[in-house]
Every structure is written in structure tokens, then in C-alpha cells.
Amino acid sequence: MKITGVEAIPFAIPYTKPLRFASGEVTTAEHVLVRISTEDGVVGTAEAPPRPFTYGETQASIVAVIDTIFAPQIVGLRLTERELVRERLDRTVGNPTAKAAIDMALWDAFGRTTGVGVSELLGGFTDRMRVSHMLGFAEPAAMVAEAERIVDTFGIRTFKVKVGRRPVTLDTAVVRALRDRFANDVELYVDGNRGWTASESLTAMREMTDLGLTFAEELCPADDVLGRRWLVDKLDVPFIADESVVTQADVTREVLGGAATAISIKTARTGFTGSQRTHHLAEGLGLELVMGNQIDGQLGTACTVAFGAAYARTSRRAGELSNFLDMSDDLLTEPLQIRDGELLVRSGAGLGVDVDPDKLARYRQD
Ligand code: MUC
Ligand code: MG
């Protein structure tokens, strides 16, 4: 089970439709495929999605930190020495998605070595999750039409609506149009990606009180410390912390400080090992959890559903598992399929998915 190689391969696959939100936009999935090989000839894989507007990482920085710092630190360790891996990687601050992809590739390799699925290794609670779809910025009519297509084609009935534009009525009109169109047949929540101030957020949430929102996510920056506490105190729905809770210490700080009341777990930023820690912390604190999407490709989505389905608390709510639908292609030999609003965990050892070598050859950038 000894690690013999760590590769970081940049690849780029265009989106058919860009995703726009308050902190940025994505037009091409410029991700990094991480492959970990062992002395037994096993290869574990995961993907890192660079999000400079969220974590400061770029595709080039992820490749560089893995090639020059992380790979030399972990080659020679055993797959089971995850705590040692974590301790070594954490000597470098930041770089969450690079670290997470290494962690998840290790779990995939361990599952393949032992012949057990990662989701079973993590907790094995269920084999599926309901799916929540993220609606990026557009005019109200276009966002309603997109939601109709997603309901009709995939049976998805939970939507996270991107908000955070000015004036706030641009976005509240979208949410109202969705509620008018679907009545109570869909679940709706909003994510501001820090686009509004605390007072704009409260104005918007008051304007939407009759619309039955389930959650509000990261409407204003956590760094507006007192403003955010003031806002969260006034809301009557749980306030999800997403990009403000990269580490478990962040979760503790934001929740105990009154700046969040629920947590988004993204395997793309905390891997499986860190996501377990966040899950257990949230359980101890009695917080609701949502499995978030770091605008993942299919490999990243397979990781999210493997983790989310592993626990009761992460599979209770619909998970954000559908952004890959807007990509023009992907790397897997067998594409993920969302049916009747659900995504199944892949059976098979490890993550249960394989990268198609021809597709990787077509999209790799090195
Ligand atoms: C999300 O939940 O915020 C958009 C920006 C980002 O960091 O993640 C995505 C989705
Ligand atoms: Mg978010």
C-alpha cells in the first residue's frame, strides 16, 4: 500500500453554458486531475477545481504545489497513513482543493486496494442522494425556463438560486417568478456568494418572507463581522456558511460567533478526511448540513455523492450534484446519470469510476 507516485494533470473542458454568480463566473472547467499510484499497481484519482475567487488557487498553482511540495512529502508513505499525510500537507497553509484532491485520491486507492467502495468505508448510510440544482445569474424568464428544463429532464425539484446582484430586486424577482411557476412543487434556497451587504441581505430576505425559502447561504461576507451576526440573528431560516468555513476552526468561529447556523460541506475543499471532521463537528454542534458543489466535474461529483450518502446528516437534504450537466464533455468512461431527481453512488471498489484515457489525452493541457 506504499505510495509510489503523485501526478497533477491540468485539463480543460468548456461549459456549454457559463455559470455566473456574485463572486465570479466559470466558462471552462480548468481542473487538475490528481492520480496517486501505489507499489501494488493501484491508481486512485480525484479532481481539484481551482477557484481563485474563493480560495486563491489557480490551475497552475495547484499543479505547482503538488509537484514541488506535496508529492515529495507523501511518496513512500502508506495509503493508511492519512493523518501523517494531513500533518505534512498542513505545513503549507491554504491550497484547500489541492490537498483535498490528494486526500480523495488516497481514499480511492485504498478502496481499490481493499475492494471496498469509498462511501461504504466512510459510513455506508445510503446508496443515493436527492439532487439540488444551482441556477446561475440570468433574467428571471431564462432562470424559470432553465428550472423547467431541469425538472422535466432530470426530475430535480430542489433549486439553489444564485443571488447577490444589485438592486436586490433583480434577484428577489427571480425567486418570486420560480415560486409563482412551481408553487410548492419545488424547494428553493438562495446563495449570495458575499455579493450583498448585511443590510441589503436583510432587505432581500424580508422581501422574500412569503416565498418559503429553506436556507440562505453566504449572503454577505463573514469578514463584515458584526454586520453578519446582526443579519443572522434577524433571519428565520438557517444561514449556511460555505466559503467562510474552509477549516474546522472556521466552522467553530463562525457558528459560535453567531455568523452561521448551518454548514455546506464541499469535498472539493476538505476531501474525505477533512469533511468527516466537519461532519462530526456539525453533529456535535447540532447543525444542519448541505453537500455543496464547488462547480465540480463528474469525478468531483462522484466524490460528493460518495461522502454525502455515507451519513444520515449529509443525505437528509438534497445535495448539489448537477453542475457537470452544463459541461460539454467529461473524463469518465461511464457518465454519471441523474434520474428521478436522484444520483446513485457508484458501486465498485473505491469511487467506482474510471477515467477514459482517450478523453484525458484530448483535454489535458500539459
Ligand atoms: C457555491 O455554492 O457557492 C460558486 C462559487 C463557489 O465558490 O462555489 C460555487 C457554488
Ligand atoms: Mg455557496
Side-chain angles (χ1 to χ4, degrees):
M1 283 208 236
K2 201 175 270 186
I3 301 167
T4 51
V6 181
E7 290 170 276
I9 305 168
F11 67 92
I13 301 177
Y15 274 83
T16 51
K17 184 167 71 63
L19 182 71
R20 299 201 168 90
F21 40 94
S23 56
E25 69 174 337
V26 173
T27 53
T28 301
E30 293 174 319
H31 297 183
V32 179
L33 182 73
V34 174
R35 282 204 294 218
I36 294 193
S37 331
T38 74
E39 61 184 352
D40 312 307
V42 169
V43 180
T45 53
E47 70 175 318
R51 297 288 166 250
F53 40 80
T54 310
Y55 310 119
E57 295 169 287
T58 65
Q59 192 182 46
S61 81
I62 290 172
V63 172
V65 80
I66 291 177
D67 283 351
T68 62
I69 304 182
F70 295 157
Q73 282 176 326
I74 68 169
V75 167
L77 295 181
R78 288 166 59 77
L79 291 175
T80 44
E81 292 177 305
R82 284 193 298 273
E83 290 297 304
L84 201 47
V85 170
R86 183 179 167 91
E87 189 268 333
R88 291 192 183 174
L89 300 193
D90 279 350
R91 291 177 196 165
T92 305
V93 298
N95 295 283
T97 71
K99 291 173 181 173
I102 287 180
D103 177 74
M104 293 190 289
L106 288 175
W107 277 85
D108 183 37
F110 182 67
R112 286 170 188 268
T113 305
T114 54
V116 184
V118 163
S119 199
E120 292 171 82
L121 287 170
L122 287 165
F125 180 72
T126 178
D127 65 350
R128 67 196 58 213
M129 285 188 78
R130 279 187 302 121
V131 176
S132 164
H133 186 72
M134 224 184 276
L135 294 170
F137 288 167
E139 291 305 308
M143 290 174 76
V144 170
E146 171 68 353
E148 282 172 344
R149 184 180 73 84
I150 295 290
V151 169
D152 292 346
T153 316
F154 302 103
I156 295 174
R157 295 191 168 273
T158 303
F159 292 96
K160 172 156 107 171
V161 187
K162 288 296 192 184
V163 297
R165 292 179 285 187
R166 294 194 169 83
V168 301
T169 44
L170 260 183
D171 294 326
T172 57
V174 171
V175 181
R176 192 163 294 282
L178 287 163
R179 187 54 87 208
D180 286 349
R181 167 64 185 83
F182 294 104
N184 289 330
D185 286 347
V186 297
E187 185 177 349
L188 299 173
Y189 57 110
V190 290
D191 182 1
N193 288 112
R194 300 160 279 144
W196 286 331
T197 64
S199 59
E200 284 170 332
S201 305
L202 187 61
T203 303
M205 290 303 288
R206 286 198 169 144
E207 153 66 27
M208 297 188 285
T209 29
D210 59 323
L211 300 181
L213 295 178
T214 314
F215 297 112
E217 178 170 320
E218 211 79 68
L219 297 180
C220 65
D223 280 356
D224 292 351
V225 180
L226 294 183
R228 173 112 152 211
R229 288 183 196 175
W230 170 87
L231 170 68
V232 171
D233 185 52
K234 288 180 167 43
L235 297 182
D236 53 11
V237 292
F239 189 95
I240 300 176
D242 172 13
E243 53 265 49
S244 59
V245 290
V246 178
T247 68
Q248 289 73 50
D250 293 334
V251 173
T252 310
R253 218 168 0 246
E254 295 309 314
V255 171
L256 296 191
T261 44
I263 300 296
S264 172
I265 290 188
K266 289 183 174 172
T267 51
R269 71 167 164 243
T270 36
F272 294 134
T273 309
S275 296
Q276 279 185 312
R277 285 170 146 89
T278 301
H279 167 276
H280 299 342
L281 176 60
E283 188 176 55
L285 291 167
L287 298 172
E288 282 205 61
L289 291 172
V290 173
M291 290 307 299
N293 193 319
Q294 200 59 80
I295 324 178
D296 303 308
Q298 294 196 20
L299 183 51
T301 305
C303 291
T304 305
V305 73
F307 187 90
Y311 303 98
R313 194 171 286 261
T314 46
S315 54
R316 202 169 288 154
R317 295 286 180 181
E320 297 163 9
L321 300 163
S322 57
N323 280 87
F324 71 85
L325 294 173
D326 291 332
M327 285 170 65
S328 57
D329 200 357
D330 215 297
L331 295 183
L332 301 189
T333 50
E334 279 181 59
L336 300 184
Q337 304 278 353
I338 297 173
R339 289 205 186 93
D340 298 327
E342 291 184 331
L343 181 65
L344 267 59
V345 175
R346 274 292 170 77
S347 56
L351 292 166
V353 295
D354 292 301
V355 169
D356 181 328
D358 294 334
K359 289 195 168 181
L360 182 58
R362 189 175 326 149
Y363 296 116
R364 65 188 296 166
Q365 304 286 295
D366 54 352

